Protein backbone atom coordinates (compact mmCIF):
# COMPACT_ATOMS: atom_id res chain seq x y z
CA UNK A 1 0.00 0.00 0.00
CA UNK A 2 1.43 3.35 -1.09
CA UNK A 3 0.40 6.70 0.42
CA UNK A 4 0.90 9.85 -1.66
CA UNK A 5 0.75 13.34 -0.13
CA UNK A 6 0.73 16.93 -1.38
CA UNK A 7 4.25 17.14 0.08
CA UNK A 8 6.15 14.36 -1.75
CA UNK A 9 8.63 14.13 1.11
CA UNK A 10 5.90 12.36 3.12
CA UNK A 11 5.22 9.61 0.57
CA UNK A 12 5.31 6.22 2.30
CA UNK A 13 4.84 2.58 1.32
CA UNK A 14 3.79 -0.27 3.61
CA UNK A 15 4.01 -4.01 3.09
CA UNK A 16 0.85 -5.55 4.59
CA UNK A 17 -0.21 -9.10 5.32
CA UNK A 18 -3.57 -9.85 6.94
CA UNK A 19 -3.67 -6.49 8.70
CA UNK A 20 -0.09 -6.69 9.95
CA UNK A 21 2.71 -4.37 8.82
CA UNK A 22 5.65 -6.44 7.65
CA UNK A 23 7.77 -3.68 6.13
CA UNK A 24 7.82 0.04 5.43
CA UNK A 25 9.62 2.46 3.14
CA UNK A 26 9.74 6.09 4.30
CA UNK A 27 12.10 9.08 3.96
CA UNK A 28 12.05 9.23 7.78
CA UNK A 29 13.76 5.83 8.05
CA UNK A 30 17.47 5.06 7.91
CA UNK A 31 18.80 1.96 6.22
CA UNK A 32 18.20 -1.28 8.07
CA UNK A 33 21.90 -1.61 8.81
CA UNK A 34 21.85 1.79 10.57
CA UNK A 35 18.82 0.71 12.61
CA UNK A 36 20.59 -2.49 13.59
CA UNK A 37 23.65 -0.54 14.66
CA UNK A 38 21.39 1.77 16.67
CA UNK A 39 20.15 -1.23 18.68
CA UNK A 40 23.64 -2.55 19.41
CA UNK A 41 24.63 -4.75 16.47
CA UNK A 42 28.35 -4.13 15.94
CA UNK A 43 30.00 -3.44 12.60
CA UNK A 44 31.86 -6.74 12.87
CA UNK A 45 28.57 -8.61 13.23
CA UNK A 46 27.16 -6.75 10.25
CA UNK A 47 30.19 -7.48 8.06
CA UNK A 48 29.92 -11.19 8.81
CA UNK A 49 26.16 -11.18 8.19
CA UNK A 50 26.60 -9.40 4.84
CA UNK A 51 28.45 -12.41 3.43
CA UNK A 52 26.04 -14.01 1.00
CA UNK A 53 23.29 -11.47 1.80
CA UNK A 54 21.92 -9.42 -1.09
CA UNK A 55 18.84 -7.94 0.63
CA UNK A 56 18.00 -6.56 4.10
CA UNK A 57 15.87 -9.67 4.61
CA UNK A 58 18.87 -11.95 4.04
CA UNK A 59 21.10 -9.76 6.23
CA UNK A 60 18.67 -10.02 9.15
CA UNK A 61 18.21 -13.77 8.54
CA UNK A 62 21.96 -14.24 8.93
CA UNK A 63 22.02 -12.19 12.14
CA UNK A 64 19.20 -14.33 13.54
CA UNK A 65 20.95 -17.56 12.62
CA UNK A 66 24.20 -16.34 14.21
CA UNK A 67 22.40 -15.50 17.44
CA UNK A 68 23.26 -11.79 17.26
CA UNK A 69 19.60 -10.88 17.00
CA UNK A 70 16.42 -12.33 18.51
CA UNK A 71 12.96 -12.30 17.01
CA UNK A 72 11.70 -10.24 19.95
CA UNK A 73 14.32 -7.51 19.43
CA UNK A 74 13.67 -7.58 15.71
CA UNK A 75 9.94 -7.03 16.30
CA UNK A 76 10.73 -4.12 18.63
CA UNK A 77 12.94 -2.59 15.96
CA UNK A 78 10.27 -2.97 13.27
CA UNK A 79 7.72 -1.39 15.62
CA UNK A 80 10.05 1.61 16.12
CA UNK A 81 10.52 1.99 12.37
CA UNK A 82 6.76 1.79 11.78
CA UNK A 83 6.17 4.49 14.41
CA UNK A 84 8.86 6.70 12.88
CA UNK A 85 7.12 6.40 9.52
CA UNK A 86 3.54 6.78 10.76
CA UNK A 87 3.68 9.69 13.22
CA UNK A 88 4.51 12.43 10.66
CA UNK A 89 1.81 11.30 8.21
CA UNK A 90 -1.03 9.94 10.31
CA UNK A 91 -2.91 13.28 10.47
CA UNK A 92 -2.27 14.22 6.82
CA UNK A 93 -4.70 13.56 3.94
CA UNK A 94 -3.31 11.13 1.40
CA UNK A 95 -4.12 9.28 -1.78
CA UNK A 96 -4.00 5.53 -1.22
CA UNK A 97 -2.84 3.09 -3.87
CA UNK A 98 -3.07 -0.64 -3.16
CA UNK A 99 -1.15 -3.10 -5.28
CA UNK A 100 -1.46 -6.84 -4.60
CA UNK A 101 1.87 -8.60 -4.28
CA UNK A 102 2.80 -12.18 -4.82
CA UNK A 103 4.68 -13.95 -2.07
CA UNK A 104 7.11 -11.44 -0.54
CA UNK A 105 9.53 -12.57 2.17
CA UNK A 106 9.19 -10.92 5.54
CA UNK A 107 10.72 -11.78 8.88
CA UNK A 108 8.77 -9.73 11.43
CA UNK A 109 5.38 -8.06 11.71
CA UNK A 110 3.46 -5.69 13.95
CA UNK A 111 -0.27 -5.19 14.31
CA UNK A 112 -1.16 -2.46 11.80
CA UNK A 113 -4.29 -1.28 13.62
CA UNK A 114 -2.51 -0.93 16.95
CA UNK A 115 0.45 0.84 15.32
CA UNK A 116 -1.91 3.29 13.61
CA UNK A 117 -3.77 4.04 16.84
CA UNK A 118 -0.54 4.64 18.77
CA UNK A 119 0.83 6.90 16.05
CA UNK A 120 -2.38 8.94 15.93
CA UNK A 121 -2.35 9.31 19.71
CA UNK A 122 1.24 10.57 19.64
CA UNK A 123 0.53 13.03 16.83
CA UNK A 124 -2.62 14.43 18.47
CA UNK A 125 -0.75 15.14 21.69
CA UNK A 126 1.38 17.75 19.89
CA UNK A 127 0.65 21.38 20.68
CA UNK A 128 -0.03 23.86 17.88
CA UNK A 129 3.53 25.21 17.87
CA UNK A 130 4.92 21.70 17.37
CA UNK A 131 2.30 20.88 14.72
CA UNK A 132 3.48 23.89 12.71
CA UNK A 133 6.98 22.41 12.42
CA UNK A 134 7.63 20.83 9.01
CA UNK A 135 10.01 17.96 8.17
CA UNK A 136 11.74 20.10 5.56
CA UNK A 137 12.37 22.96 8.00
CA UNK A 138 15.95 23.90 8.79
CA UNK A 139 16.63 24.79 12.40
CA UNK A 140 19.18 27.49 13.22
CA UNK A 141 20.80 27.37 16.65
CA UNK A 142 23.67 29.21 18.33
CA UNK A 143 26.73 26.93 18.12
CA UNK A 144 28.16 27.84 21.51
CA UNK A 145 24.96 27.10 23.44
CA UNK A 146 25.10 23.71 25.13
CA UNK A 147 22.02 21.68 24.19
CA UNK A 148 19.81 20.04 26.78
CA UNK A 149 20.81 16.55 27.83
CA UNK A 150 17.94 14.87 25.98
CA UNK A 151 18.69 12.78 22.90
CA UNK A 152 16.29 14.87 20.79
CA UNK A 153 17.87 18.19 21.82
CA UNK A 154 21.38 16.98 21.09
CA UNK A 155 20.32 15.55 17.73
CA UNK A 156 18.59 18.80 16.75
CA UNK A 157 21.61 20.86 17.82
CA UNK A 158 24.05 18.71 15.84
CA UNK A 159 21.74 18.56 12.84
CA UNK A 160 21.24 22.32 12.81
CA UNK A 161 24.99 22.99 12.89
CA UNK A 162 25.40 20.54 10.01
CA UNK A 163 22.66 22.28 8.01
CA UNK A 164 20.34 19.24 8.02
CA UNK A 165 16.57 19.50 7.64
CA UNK A 166 14.63 18.24 10.65
CA UNK A 167 13.57 15.13 8.75
CA UNK A 168 17.22 14.14 8.34
CA UNK A 169 18.01 14.85 11.99
CA UNK A 170 15.12 12.59 13.00
CA UNK A 171 16.23 9.85 10.61
CA UNK A 172 19.84 9.81 11.75
CA UNK A 173 18.98 9.77 15.46
CA UNK A 174 16.16 7.20 15.14
CA UNK A 175 13.67 9.66 16.63
CA UNK A 176 9.94 9.73 16.18
CA UNK A 177 8.67 12.87 14.52
CA UNK A 178 6.62 13.97 17.53
CA UNK A 179 9.78 14.06 19.67
CA UNK A 180 11.60 16.10 17.02
CA UNK A 181 8.73 18.55 16.47
CA UNK A 182 8.21 19.01 20.20
CA UNK A 183 11.95 19.54 20.76
CA UNK A 184 12.24 22.07 17.93
CA UNK A 185 9.21 24.00 19.17
CA UNK A 186 10.71 24.12 22.67
CA UNK A 187 14.02 25.53 21.41
CA UNK A 188 12.19 28.17 19.39
CA UNK A 189 9.99 29.11 22.33
CA UNK A 190 13.07 29.51 24.54
CA UNK A 191 14.58 31.86 21.99
CA UNK A 192 17.72 29.81 21.32
CA UNK A 193 16.71 28.68 17.84
CA UNK A 194 14.58 29.64 14.88
CA UNK A 195 13.32 28.14 11.65
CA UNK A 196 15.58 29.31 8.86
CA UNK A 197 13.85 31.38 6.16
CA UNK A 198 12.66 29.25 3.27
CA UNK A 199 14.19 31.58 0.72
CA UNK A 200 17.32 33.67 0.38
CA UNK A 201 15.64 36.95 -0.48
CA UNK A 202 17.45 39.60 1.60
CA UNK A 203 15.63 42.27 3.53
CA UNK A 204 15.72 45.76 2.05
CA UNK A 205 18.79 47.59 3.27
CA UNK A 206 18.69 51.35 3.67
CA UNK A 207 21.32 53.34 1.82
CA UNK A 208 22.88 56.77 1.73
CA UNK A 209 20.28 59.39 0.82
CA UNK A 210 17.33 57.46 2.28
CA UNK A 211 15.33 59.15 5.03
CA UNK A 212 16.01 57.50 8.37
CA UNK A 213 12.75 55.89 9.60
CA UNK A 214 11.37 57.65 12.63
CA UNK A 215 10.56 55.78 15.83
CA UNK A 216 9.15 56.28 19.29
CA UNK A 217 10.88 54.00 21.79
CA UNK A 218 11.19 53.75 25.57
CA UNK A 219 14.47 54.85 27.11
CA UNK A 220 16.30 53.46 30.13
CA UNK A 221 16.87 57.08 31.19
CA UNK A 222 13.21 58.10 31.33
CA UNK A 223 10.77 59.47 28.71
CA UNK A 224 10.34 57.84 25.31
CA UNK A 225 12.54 59.18 22.52
CA UNK A 226 11.88 59.85 18.83
CA UNK A 227 14.42 60.26 16.09
CA UNK A 228 12.74 63.49 14.96
CA UNK A 229 13.66 65.24 18.19
CA UNK A 230 17.30 65.24 17.01
CA UNK A 231 16.46 67.10 13.79
CA UNK A 232 19.08 69.81 13.30
CA UNK A 233 21.82 67.60 14.76
CA UNK A 234 23.73 64.76 13.24
CA UNK A 235 23.08 61.35 14.79
CA UNK A 236 25.19 58.25 15.24
CA UNK A 237 22.47 55.58 15.42
CA UNK A 238 23.29 52.01 16.44
CA UNK A 239 20.97 49.02 16.18
CA UNK A 240 22.13 46.43 18.69
CA UNK A 241 21.01 42.93 19.64
CA UNK A 242 19.99 41.68 23.09
CA UNK A 243 20.98 43.33 26.35
CA UNK A 244 23.70 40.79 27.17
CA UNK A 245 25.12 40.57 23.62
CA UNK A 246 28.80 39.66 23.75
CA UNK A 247 29.39 41.69 20.57
CA UNK A 248 27.35 44.80 21.27
CA UNK A 249 28.41 45.41 24.87
CA UNK A 250 32.10 45.78 24.00
CA UNK A 251 31.08 48.15 21.21
CA UNK A 252 28.96 50.10 23.69
CA UNK A 253 32.04 50.53 25.85
CA UNK A 254 33.89 51.97 22.83
CA UNK A 255 31.00 54.37 22.23
CA UNK A 256 31.18 55.49 25.85
CA UNK A 257 34.84 56.40 25.38
CA UNK A 258 34.04 58.41 22.25
CA UNK A 259 31.11 60.27 23.75
CA UNK A 260 33.00 63.43 24.85
CA UNK A 261 34.41 63.94 21.35
CA UNK A 262 31.02 63.26 19.76
CA UNK A 263 29.34 65.83 22.00
CA UNK A 264 32.04 68.38 21.22
CA UNK A 265 31.36 67.84 17.52
CA UNK A 266 27.61 68.23 18.08
CA UNK A 267 26.76 64.61 17.27
CA UNK A 268 23.93 62.88 19.15
CA UNK A 269 24.47 59.24 20.04
CA UNK A 270 21.49 56.88 20.02
CA UNK A 271 21.58 53.16 20.73
CA UNK A 272 18.56 50.93 20.07
CA UNK A 273 18.60 47.46 21.65
CA UNK A 274 16.22 44.60 20.83
CA UNK A 275 15.21 43.93 24.43
CA UNK A 276 13.14 45.25 27.32
CA UNK A 277 13.86 48.26 29.52
CA UNK A 278 14.21 46.06 32.58
CA UNK A 279 16.81 43.77 31.01
CA UNK A 280 18.74 46.66 29.51
CA UNK A 281 18.89 48.53 32.81
CA UNK A 282 20.53 45.49 34.42
CA UNK A 283 23.30 45.40 31.81
CA UNK A 284 23.96 48.51 29.73
CA UNK A 285 22.27 50.68 32.34
CA UNK A 286 25.00 49.84 34.85
CA UNK A 287 27.48 51.78 32.71
CA UNK A 288 25.34 54.91 33.29
CA UNK A 289 25.35 56.27 29.72
CA UNK A 290 24.21 59.87 29.33
CA UNK A 291 23.24 59.47 25.67
CA UNK A 292 19.95 57.89 24.57
CA UNK A 293 19.73 54.12 25.11
CA UNK A 294 16.41 52.82 23.78
CA UNK A 295 14.53 49.52 23.80
CA UNK A 296 12.88 47.92 20.78
CA UNK A 297 11.36 44.89 22.47
CA UNK A 298 9.57 43.53 19.38
CA UNK A 299 12.49 44.40 17.03
CA UNK A 300 9.99 46.31 14.83
CA UNK A 301 12.38 49.25 14.48
CA UNK A 302 15.21 46.87 13.67
CA UNK A 303 13.07 45.47 10.85
CA UNK A 304 12.27 48.98 9.62
CA UNK A 305 16.00 49.58 9.32
CA UNK A 306 16.46 46.37 7.34
CA UNK A 307 18.60 44.42 9.77
CA UNK A 308 19.60 40.92 8.71
CA UNK A 309 19.39 37.66 10.61
CA UNK A 310 22.18 35.21 9.98
CA UNK A 311 23.65 32.09 11.55
CA UNK A 312 26.68 32.29 9.25
CA UNK A 313 27.62 35.75 10.51
CA UNK A 314 27.12 34.62 14.09
CA UNK A 315 29.67 31.79 13.78
CA UNK A 316 32.22 33.80 11.78
CA UNK A 317 35.66 33.28 13.35
CA UNK A 318 36.37 37.01 13.05
CA UNK A 319 33.99 37.48 15.99
CA UNK A 320 36.26 35.57 18.36
CA UNK A 321 38.24 38.42 19.93
CA UNK A 322 35.15 40.51 20.60
CA UNK A 323 33.22 37.52 21.95
CA UNK A 324 36.07 36.86 24.36
CA UNK A 325 35.95 40.49 25.48
CA UNK A 326 32.17 40.32 25.74
CA UNK A 327 32.16 37.27 27.99
CA UNK A 328 34.74 38.94 30.22
CA UNK A 329 32.26 41.80 30.58
CA UNK A 330 29.01 39.84 30.83
CA UNK A 331 30.05 36.67 32.64
CA UNK A 332 27.33 34.02 32.83
CA UNK A 333 24.77 36.47 31.39
CA UNK A 334 26.49 36.16 28.03
CA UNK A 335 25.13 32.61 27.63
CA UNK A 336 21.48 33.64 27.92
CA UNK A 337 19.44 34.23 24.77
CA UNK A 338 16.64 36.78 24.64
CA UNK A 339 15.18 35.54 21.36
CA UNK A 340 17.21 37.62 18.86
CA UNK A 341 20.26 35.37 18.67
CA UNK A 342 20.66 35.71 14.90
CA UNK A 343 20.02 39.45 14.56
CA UNK A 344 23.00 41.19 12.95
CA UNK A 345 23.89 44.69 14.26
CA UNK A 346 24.01 47.78 12.04
CA UNK A 347 24.96 51.46 12.35
CA UNK A 348 23.73 54.59 10.61
CA UNK A 349 25.30 58.02 10.32
CA UNK A 350 22.46 60.53 9.87
CA UNK A 351 22.66 64.20 8.89
CA UNK A 352 20.85 67.23 10.30
CA UNK A 353 17.91 66.76 7.89
CA UNK A 354 17.29 63.18 9.00
CA UNK A 355 18.85 61.59 5.90
CA UNK A 356 21.23 58.66 6.09
CA UNK A 357 24.77 59.54 5.06
CA UNK A 358 26.17 56.07 5.71
CA UNK A 359 24.40 52.76 6.33
CA UNK A 360 26.68 50.07 7.72
CA UNK A 361 25.30 46.52 7.98
CA UNK A 362 27.80 44.32 9.79
CA UNK A 363 29.42 41.71 7.57
CA UNK A 364 29.87 39.62 10.72
CA UNK A 365 28.59 40.28 14.23
CA UNK A 366 31.69 42.16 15.42
CA UNK A 367 32.08 44.20 12.22
CA UNK A 368 31.24 47.61 13.68
CA UNK A 369 32.32 50.93 12.25
CA UNK A 370 35.80 51.80 13.43
CA UNK A 371 36.00 54.57 16.04
CA UNK A 372 38.39 56.46 13.77
CA UNK A 373 35.96 56.54 10.84
CA UNK A 374 33.05 57.72 12.99
CA UNK A 375 35.19 60.36 14.67
CA UNK A 376 36.39 61.61 11.28
CA UNK A 377 32.76 61.86 10.10
CA UNK A 378 31.94 63.85 13.22
CA UNK A 379 34.86 66.24 12.79
CA UNK A 380 34.24 66.72 9.05
CA UNK A 381 30.79 68.12 9.79
CA UNK A 382 31.80 70.21 12.76
Amino acid sequence: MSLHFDEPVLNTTFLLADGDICGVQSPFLPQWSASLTHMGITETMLETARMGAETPHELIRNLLQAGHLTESRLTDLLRLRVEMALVPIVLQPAQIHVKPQVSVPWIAHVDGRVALQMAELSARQLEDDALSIKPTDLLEVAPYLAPESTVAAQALHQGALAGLPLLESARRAHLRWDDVARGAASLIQRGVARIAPSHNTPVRHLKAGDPAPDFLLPSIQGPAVTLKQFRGRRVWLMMHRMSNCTHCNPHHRTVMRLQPQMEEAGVAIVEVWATTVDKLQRTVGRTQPTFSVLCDETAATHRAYGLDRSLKRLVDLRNYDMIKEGFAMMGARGWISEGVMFLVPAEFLINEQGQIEQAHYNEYMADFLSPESVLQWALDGH
Side-chain angles (χ1 to χ4, degrees):
M1 179 179 70
S2 297
L3 303 179
H4 296 271
F5 300 84
D6 290 338
E7 294 185 52
V9 71
L10 299 178
N11 291 349
T12 306
T13 299
F14 293 96
L15 176 62
L16 305 176
D18 298 327
D20 288 344
I21 298 177
C22 310
V24 56
Q25 291 181 339
S26 164
F28 288 84
L29 298 181
Q31 294 182 347
W32 261 100
S33 58
S35 289
L36 291 166
T37 301
H38 177 73
M39 68 179 300
I41 301 298
T42 67
E43 188 58 36
T44 300
M45 296 175 185
L46 285 174
E47 284 300 321
T48 303
R50 287 190 181 104
M51 297 178 61
E54 298 181 356
T55 66
H57 171 268
E58 294 173 346
L59 172 68
I60 292 171
R61 180 201 60 195
N62 291 346
L63 288 170
L64 288 168
Q65 291 176 350
H68 300 316
L69 187 63
T70 65
E71 292 185 2
S72 175
R73 293 181 69 198
L74 178 59
T75 300
D76 289 341
L77 182 55
L78 177 60
R79 183 177 294 109
L80 172 61
R81 289 173 64 89
V82 170
E83 290 175 354
M84 290 173 61
L86 277 174
V87 171
I89 67 173
V90 68
L91 301 181
Q92 306 295 326
Q95 294 182 351
I96 302 176
H97 301 278
V98 179
K99 181 179 180 181
Q101 296 283 340
V102 294
S103 178
V104 177
W106 52 272
I107 50 179
H109 61 93
V110 296
D111 189 310
R113 180 174 298 179
V114 173
L116 187 63
Q117 290 174 343
M118 296 301 296
E120 183 175 358
L121 178 63
S122 297
R124 291 195 182 282
Q125 287 178 342
L126 291 174
E127 302 291 340
D128 288 344
D129 55 350
L131 286 172
S132 68
I133 304 294
K134 298 179 180 179
T136 53
D137 284 340
L138 291 170
L139 196 67
E140 291 183 347
V141 298
Y144 48 77
L145 288 179
E148 298 174 352
S149 58
T150 64
V151 174
Q154 293 177 350
L156 290 175
H157 190 264
Q158 294 172 2
L161 295 182
L164 302 178
L166 292 176
L167 178 152
E168 182 64 17
S169 294
R171 191 177 72 86
R172 294 190 181 192
H174 281 77
L175 293 171
R176 285 192 335 205
W177 177 249
D178 54 325
D179 293 327
V180 172
R182 192 177 289 111
S186 175
L187 291 174
I188 294 169
Q189 186 177 26
R190 287 168 47 212
V192 299
R194 71 162 186 153
I195 298 298
S198 59
H199 53 77
N200 296 319
T201 303
V203 296
R204 179 185 178 274
H205 285 176
L206 300 175
K207 60 185 185 299
D210 286 342
D214 194 23
F215 48 73
L216 174 64
L217 295 170
S219 166
I220 65 170
Q221 292 101 338
V225 172
T226 70
L227 183 63
K228 282 185 178 180
Q229 72 186 58
F230 298 101
R231 196 62 55 86
R233 297 180 63 186
R234 287 176 303 146
V235 178
W236 179 14
L237 174 64
M238 283 150 281
M239 293 286 171
H240 286 320
R241 299 166 72 229
M242 50 202 176
S243 67
N244 57 347
C245 175
T246 52
H247 307 90
C248 304
N249 277 281
H251 184 59
H252 169 78
R253 184 160 59 183
T254 299
V255 175
M256 293 277 289
R257 290 196 294 265
L258 288 178
Q259 182 182 4
Q261 293 164 287
M262 292 293 108
E263 289 181 348
E264 185 177 347
V267 174
I269 298 174
V270 180
E271 290 181 350
V272 178
W273 297 72
T275 187
T276 65
V277 171
D278 181 59
K279 291 176 180 177
L280 200 57
Q281 285 176 334
R282 294 198 299 265
T283 52
V284 176
R286 299 181 66 178
T287 66
Q288 299 183 336
T290 56
F291 53 82
S292 296
V293 177
L294 313 180
C295 301
D296 180 23
E297 182 176 354
T298 65
T301 300
H302 287 70
R303 289 192 293 273
Y305 275 79
L307 266 67
D308 299 308
R309 292 175 182 264
S310 172
L311 172 62
K312 180 179 180 180
R313 292 187 231 180
L314 177 65
V315 301
D316 195 301
L317 293 179
R318 289 173 289 182
N319 296 320
Y320 177 77
D321 289 339
M322 185 166 280
I323 290 177
K324 185 177 179 181
E325 182 183 353
F327 275 112
M329 293 175 61
M330 305 308 299
R333 283 198 190 105
W335 293 105
I336 302 172
S337 168
E338 295 175 9
V340 288
M341 182 67 67
F342 306 100
L343 195 65
V344 184
E347 296 173 270
F348 303 88
L349 304 181
I350 303 170
N351 65 21
E352 294 87 344
Q353 291 75 43
Q355 288 183 319
I356 295 173
E357 291 191 351
Q358 183 176 349
H360 177 81
Y361 294 90
N362 292 20
E363 183 180 343
Y364 49 96
M365 293 294 182
D367 178 37
F368 296 99
L369 289 171
S370 68
E372 295 78 14
S373 66
V374 177
L375 184 57
Q376 187 62 55
W377 170 78
L379 295 175
D380 286 347
H382 186 46

